Amino acid sequence: MYCNLGNVSVYYETYGEGFPIVLIHGFTPDHRLMTGCMEPVFENQPGWHRIYLDLPGMGQTKGEDWIQGSDQMLEVVERFIDNVLPEGKYVLAGESYGGYLIRALAAKQPERVAGMLFICPLIEANPDLRILPERRVIAEDQEFLSTLTVDQMSRFAPLAVVQDQYNFERFEKEILPGLHAADPVFLQKIRERYAFSVPNEKETQPFDKPVLFLTGRQDHVTGYQNVWSILEQYPRASFAVLDRAGHNLQIEQSGLFTAMVKEWLHRVAESENLQ
């Protein structure tokens, strides 16, 4: 379905009923990245109303000319939430660039945001200022990889720390469709104004609600070390650095991912007296 905001129409999907959680994918993929990893978490977790959106220029949300950078991306997300959730508290989850956006949103609406989940979050918009591990493959199934075409490998391999059939099939189902659907011209424009005009680091008040940071030890895209610089801003944050995990941590460490996200949901429910 679409949420018409006047100068942009945002595609989104909803599942379940209960306490709302807004889930935002990273840069270039679409909502399927988040539904793929999060819906299994909610299979035995009733009481949550999940809202997955496509950011402008990605998935089924058109990138409008007036959206020039991350400042306007944030404006779209805030207006979308105010439209579909006009009152009351909600929870945020963001992967990579989605994590960059939800930090800023929580700073703008601290009284409404009841908790945050960060999956391989983008902390530093400037690539030159990111502290990153070297590119590394931890495990690979050479027999399976030999069955892939050159094009398939060129899409899958650059971010894959674990290269086997399970990880490829999830990549092909949850991430690749979004890459195909993205508007490259529009997204290049956004990359040129990737950082907010007012950095997230200008936050002044600690966010004292349940938070989970999930980062990959082999994530050479956003890394894990930059999270340390903001950790004290989140007094109730758990911070995990998972081995055998790159920027597709939610797939490569799916068991730990599901267990830790369920624990975070329990903390949110406890904090909001939802149990």
Side-chain angles (χ1 to χ4, degrees), residues 139-166:
E140 57 185 346
D141 180 344
Q142 287 289 355
E143 183 177 354
F144 169 73
L145 294 178
S146 69
T147 68
L148 301 182
T149 67
V150 172
D151 181 64
Q152 287 173 324
M153 278 296 292
S154 69
R155 291 282 195 173
F156 172 60
L159 294 185
V161 167
V162 181
Q163 300 183 357
D164 58 18
Q165 185 171 355
Y166 171 81

Side-chain angles (χ1 to χ4, degrees), residues 12-240:
Y12 70 106
E13 295 182 0
T14 65
Y15 301 83
E17 297 180 351
F19 199 83
I21 174 170
V22 180
L23 305 103
I24 304 175
H25 60 83
F27 199 80
T28 308
D30 62 15
H31 71 277
R32 285 169 283 197
L33 184 150
M34 297 300 283
T35 56
C37 67
M38 292 297 292
E39 280 307 293
V41 174
F42 291 107
E43 282 182 359
N44 298 306
Q45 297 280 325
W48 299 95
H49 175 50
R50 291 92 70 192
I51 303 168
Y52 300 89
L53 68 147
D54 283 346
L55 293 171
M58 293 166 261
Q60 298 183 58
T61 299
K62 183 177 181 294
E64 302 293 349
D65 291 341
W66 67 271
I67 303 171
Q68 296 291 314
S70 290
D71 286 350
Q72 292 76 40
M73 283 284 200
L74 177 61
E75 177 188 337
V76 170
V77 174
E78 184 175 17
R79 287 168 55 202
F80 168 80
I81 291 175
D82 287 344
N83 187 285
V84 299
L85 301 172
E87 58 184 19
K89 293 183 178 182
Y90 60 89
V91 179
L92 288 168
E95 189 270 346
S96 192
Y97 182 67
Y100 188 63
L101 294 175
I102 70 171
R103 280 182 63 209
L105 188 60
K108 292 168 71 74
Q109 299 190 354
E111 72 289 345
R112 295 196 64 192
V113 179
M116 287 191 288
L117 165 65
F118 295 89
I119 308 165
C120 299
L122 174 69
I123 303 299
E124 177 52 64
N126 184 344
D128 295 334
L129 298 179
R130 298 175 198 168
I131 306 172
L132 303 175
E134 292 185 3
R135 166 89 174 91
R136 185 179 179 186
V137 176
I138 297 297
E140 57 185 346
D141 180 344
Q142 287 289 355
E143 183 177 354
F144 169 73
L145 294 178
S146 69
T147 68
L148 301 182
T149 67
V150 172
D151 181 64
Q152 287 173 324
M153 278 296 292
S154 69
R155 291 282 195 173
F156 172 60
L159 294 185
V161 167
V162 181
Q163 300 183 357
D164 58 18
Q165 185 171 355
Y166 171 81
N167 282 273
F168 174 76
E169 288 177 352
R170 285 195 59 181
F171 166 81
E172 198 172 39
K173 180 180 179 181
E174 300 167 22
I175 299 174
L176 188 59
L179 302 183
H180 286 315
D183 180 343
V185 175
F186 175 82
L187 295 184
Q188 180 56 40
K189 177 181 67 172
I190 302 302
R191 283 192 183 278
E192 294 170 3
R193 295 177 176 83
Y194 207 44
F196 293 131
S197 56
V198 178
N200 274 328
E201 283 62 34
K202 296 298 184 181
E203 299 162 343
T204 56
Q205 297 298 318
F207 183 82
D208 198 20
K209 312 277 181 62
V211 171
L212 175 60
F213 288 97
L214 291 176
T215 63
R217 185 65 178 82
Q218 290 83 31
D219 183 351
H220 68 286
V221 178
T222 56
Y224 62 91
Q225 295 186 59
N226 290 101
V227 175
W228 281 112
S229 66
I230 67 167
L231 201 56
E232 293 308 310
Q233 186 69 27
Y234 303 91
R236 294 207 54 200
S238 293
F239 173 38

